[in-house]
Amino acid sequence: MTHYLKDFTELLPKRPDLDELKAELLHMAEAQGMIDFLWSRAVSKEMVEQRVEDELTSIMTANMASIIEERGLIDPDQMDFLGFVHEDPDDAFIAAVRDAVQVSFVYDAAQYAFKDQVRQYERAQKKNGQREDVQQLVENLATAHPALAGPSTMHALDEMIAGLHASAPWMSDVSTWLYKALRAQYSTGDTWLNLPPVILIGPPGCGKSTYARKLATLSGLPIRVLDAAASNASFTVAGSDPTWNKSQAGIPLQEIAKTGIANPVMIIDEIEKAGTATASGGSRVSLPDALLGLLEPSSSTSWECPYTRRTYNMSQISWIMTANEGEGIPAPLLDRCRVFHIGYPEPKDFADLIRKQSAGRIYDEVVDCLITRVESAVANGHPPSLRRIQQLIDEAAAVAQDPVLH
């Protein structure tokens, strides 16, 4: 079963269509009862009978003739091209005219409603701003409900967590926390990925970012990775006013518009290096400041985008941040996130990792040598990073493929 975030944003009104509106109101009138429907719109029985009399005592109007023909109320041989012959109408003919008159009142109501919808549509279009790119993004976001994706069943969730734990057993505390949080959510029928915001703090190369990417990959969700050290301005996440030069929507909103998925996984690497930034007017525009409104449940459900000037429900995004150290992370950000301190893998974890990553690439003897070398480094207090281990495996595999020179 596919879930959709139906309160993602206020949908743009559909371009009005008079024929559709006539059909809709006519269906409502027939379901409610024609007399009651017309009475609720200030059309009395007396008004209906007066118009019936007018139609019977003069040549029938083209409008009335078209309704009677449309509804098949009278046999075609009773009609001529000027209208209907009705010098001496019988009861069936009078009933047909009465039916057509009532329908004409319904169509009059549709005309009034149509004019009102046209005004609403024009106001909504004007509200969205004049820039073509802003209009296009709003159209993409506000014409359909984005989907909520992730493992579709509790069993699929179990398999995802098992795969995640197998890839990084030294981070079992994180996997256990994720499992408990998601099982509690899934037990209520909300079977999609929606993680509380989390920060993974640990030394470089301990597997934080790899773990976050593995989680997103196993969940089947779209992934966007931001480097906080490379761009610390809030505009990266929140977007900027469309009147500014080179303005654009924030990356999370762009991702939702592009994929049609309301709960992508957003990974922010080295959040402690985001620092602070101040606009010319003195307001704070740093990345952590922009994140606060997106992480807080009370504000993320109705988050206002400065680029489109509309509000969106961004509460389903999963935020995973990494940091090499806790110093430098603003306290308000720490307060809104679950924080885990990650260490390097244990010797056994290193050995399992090396065997798994080198399987089919290098000889077992070389694998054993690499494991011995890594275990020695760990024993001496200098555990290698996972990146360095991967480099060693790649180098050994390259040597093994070199041609033998005679």
Side-chain angles (χ1 to χ4, degrees):
M1 176 182 178
T2 303
H3 298 272
Y4 298 94
L5 188 57
K6 295 185 177 180
D7 61 345
F8 174 64
T9 187
E10 177 189 358
L11 296 182
L12 284 178
K14 182 181 178 182
R15 187 180 296 276
D17 184 290
L18 180 57
D19 290 337
E20 288 184 5
L21 193 54
K22 284 181 177 180
E24 179 183 345
L25 288 188
L26 185 57
H27 177 74
M28 290 173 56
E30 291 173 339
Q32 181 179 342
M34 191 67 74
I35 294 175
D36 291 340
F37 179 86
L38 293 178
W39 178 255
S40 69
R41 284 159 174 76
V43 178
S44 65
K45 291 182 180 180
E46 292 74 17
M47 295 171 64
V48 172
E49 293 304 320
Q50 181 60 55
R51 187 176 291 186
V52 170
E53 184 177 346
D54 292 343
E55 294 291 342
L56 291 173
T57 56
S58 60
I59 294 179
M60 186 168 293
T61 61
N63 178 50
M64 196 62 53
S66 67
I67 293 176
I68 289 179
E69 186 174 9
E70 168 194 317
R71 292 173 67 79
L73 299 172
I74 294 177
D75 291 337
D77 58 5
Q78 292 183 271
M79 297 182 288
D80 60 26
F81 101 110
L82 291 176
F84 293 91
V85 178
H86 46 267
E87 290 87 356
D88 186 22
D90 57 18
D91 290 343
F93 190 94
I94 295 173
V97 172
R98 182 176 291 108
D99 181 288
V101 166
Q102 291 174 328
V103 171
S104 73
F105 275 114
V106 174
Y107 286 174
D108 289 344
Q111 286 278 6
Y112 288 118
F114 175 73
K115 292 178 181 178
D116 186 55
Q117 287 186 6
V118 168
R119 287 193 293 268
Q120 292 180 18
Y121 180 82
E122 291 175 347
R123 281 199 301 269
Q125 291 296 95
K126 186 176 180 180
K127 174 184 175 182
N128 294 332
Q130 301 301 317
R131 285 182 48 167
E132 183 178 342
D133 48 358
V134 179
Q135 289 276 26
Q136 185 59 55
L137 181 64
V138 170
E139 290 283 348
N140 291 345
L141 291 166
T143 54
H145 302 296
L148 293 162
S152 58
T153 64
M154 192 74 81
H155 177 68
L157 174 63
D158 292 345
E159 290 186 329
M160 184 193 82
I161 296 297
L164 189 62
H165 176 72
S167 69
W170 63 95
M171 298 177 67
S172 60
D173 287 349
V174 185
S175 301
T176 300
W177 170 76
L178 291 174
Y179 190 45
K180 290 180 179 179
L182 288 172
R183 278 191 68 89
Q185 174 195 319
Y186 271 53
S187 64
T188 66
D190 296 341
T191 52
W192 62 84
L193 191 77
N194 180 23
L195 300 175
V198 59
I199 301 177
L200 307 178
I201 302 176
C206 69
K208 308 181 299 294
S209 298
T210 301
Y211 182 90
R213 289 170 176 78
K214 185 72 171 180
L215 167 62
T217 300
L218 290 173
S219 71
L221 288 170
I223 314 167
R224 284 301 293 269
V225 181
L226 305 178
D227 185 351
S231 177
N232 66 357
S234 63
F235 315 128
T236 304
V237 168
S240 52
D241 191 289
T243 59
W244 292 12
N245 185 34
K246 297 182 180 180
S247 62
Q248 63 178 12
I251 288 177
L253 202 57
Q254 290 183 43
E255 190 68 16
I256 294 173
K258 182 179 73 174
T259 64
I261 302 297
N263 59 327
V265 176
M266 298 296 302
I267 301 172
I268 303 180
D269 280 330
E270 299 188 319
I271 187 64
E272 81 279 13
K273 296 181 181 178
T276 59
T278 306
S280 56
S283 60
R284 292 169 60 92
V285 291
S286 64
L287 178 57
D289 292 323
L291 283 171
L292 297 181
L294 289 162
L295 300 180
E296 187 67 47
S298 60
S299 56
S300 62
T301 55
S302 185
W303 177 82
E304 184 171 356
C305 168
Y307 183 69
T308 64
R309 297 174 181 175
R310 293 172 67 91
T311 58
Y312 302 91
N313 184 347
M314 307 288 276
S315 64
Q316 302 302 307
I317 297 174
S318 294
W319 294 92
I320 305 176
M321 288 159 272
T322 70
N324 294 330
E325 56 186 8
E327 186 176 353
I329 305 175
L333 193 59
L334 290 170
D335 289 342
R336 287 165 173 79
C337 299
R338 180 70 162 85
V339 178
F340 288 93
H341 292 272
I342 311 300
Y344 283 113
E346 296 295 326
K348 181 182 181 301
D349 297 325
F350 273 124
D352 291 342
L353 190 64
I354 292 171
R355 288 195 174 92
K356 185 181 299 182
Q357 294 184 354
S358 60
R361 300 185 63 195
I362 56 180
Y363 295 113
D364 291 342
E365 294 83 353
V366 179
V367 172
D368 292 338
C369 289
L370 285 177
I371 292 173
T372 300
R373 181 176 173 182
V374 168
E375 288 177 343
S376 176
V378 171
N380 291 326
H382 302 291
S385 70
L386 300 189
R387 291 194 222 25
R388 180 54 183 156
I389 289 177
Q390 187 61 57
Q391 290 172 358
L392 292 173
I393 294 172
D394 292 342
E395 291 170 1
V399 170
Q401 294 176 8
D402 284 344
V404 178
L405 301 179
H406 296 283

